[in-house]
Amino acid sequence: MQSSRLRLSATAVTSTCALICTLALPAPAAAQLLDHKDFTASTAMTIVQTAIETCKANGYAVSATVVGRNGEIIVQVRGGNTAPHTIENSFRKASTARTFRSPSGALVERVKADPTLGVIHLTNVIANQGALPIKVGDEVIGAAGASGAPGGEKDEACVKAGIDKVADQLK
């Protein structure tokens, strides 16, 4: 009888130890996925079309580009009667606004303050006004740029009109 009690007791101890060891093991971590918003190609197209049409209504022929959160081109349109460089310039302005999460014209001011600023040598960065970041709240999800108007402030105003047109979709 005593030997069966010892066996029962040993079995209970073994089971308890196994349970404790199992519970002590770290649980596998849940996958940590990024959660973010992006805009559709349709929204990007509306921004570009509105920017080009706004500038055209003011007598300026521009090209416009919208880039996504990683700086990739979502939509790019060379406006009618624009110089060949405007397509590249609109992209570089948009890329700059996306990269620095601020209007591309802000880099102009930084370069004026420090002409040796190294970031000016980054690929697809340009110190030219004419692009704005596209935001949902405080999160920058892309940028839009225009080129061809006589002055970056005019390009920027056209881009702002495009972003304002889709503001209700950026929530």
Side-chain angles (χ1 to χ4, degrees):
M1 175 121 180
Q2 193 162 6
S3 112
S4 89
R5 271 193 205 154
L6 285 176
R7 274 192 301 241
L8 185 58
S9 186
T11 303
V13 169
T14 304
S15 295
T16 303
C17 285
L19 179 63
I20 290 172
C21 289
T22 301
L23 294 175
L25 291 174
Q32 295 192 5
L33 303 175
L34 296 175
D35 184 28
H36 63 261
K37 297 186 181 226
D38 288 309
F39 48 87
T40 64
S42 176
T43 299
M45 183 61 81
T46 299
I47 293 169
V48 165
Q49 287 176 321
T50 303
I52 289 173
E53 289 168 7
T54 301
C55 272
K56 185 176 180 180
N58 289 308
Y60 318 129
V62 300
S63 293
T65 302
V66 171
V67 298
R69 70 174 48 254
N70 297 313
E72 74 283 12
I73 296 170
I74 304 296
V75 174
Q76 186 173 55
V77 176
R78 180 172 174 211
N81 297 320
T82 59
H85 73 279
T86 60
I87 196 78
E88 178 185 350
N89 226 19
S90 69
F91 166 67
R92 290 180 67 194
K93 289 178 182 186
S95 179
T96 300
R98 170 59 195 101
T99 297
F100 298 110
R101 299 181 175 104
S102 63
S104 60
L107 185 57
V108 174
E109 299 306 314
R110 289 179 61 192
V111 170
K112 283 181 186 175
D114 180 5
T116 64
L117 191 66
V119 298
I120 197 64
H121 301 291
L122 294 173
T123 302
N124 299 324
V125 168
I126 191 167
N128 252 341
Q129 188 175 3
L132 296 170
I134 300 170
K135 297 181 177 184
V136 172
D138 290 332
E139 182 183 5
V140 175
I141 63 168
S147 178
E153 71 285 352
K154 293 174 181 75
D155 290 326
E156 186 176 302
C158 295
V159 166
K160 183 174 183 331
I163 295 171
D164 287 350
K165 175 97 176 196
V166 298
D168 62 321
Q169 298 172 44
L170 300 173
K171 296 181 186 205

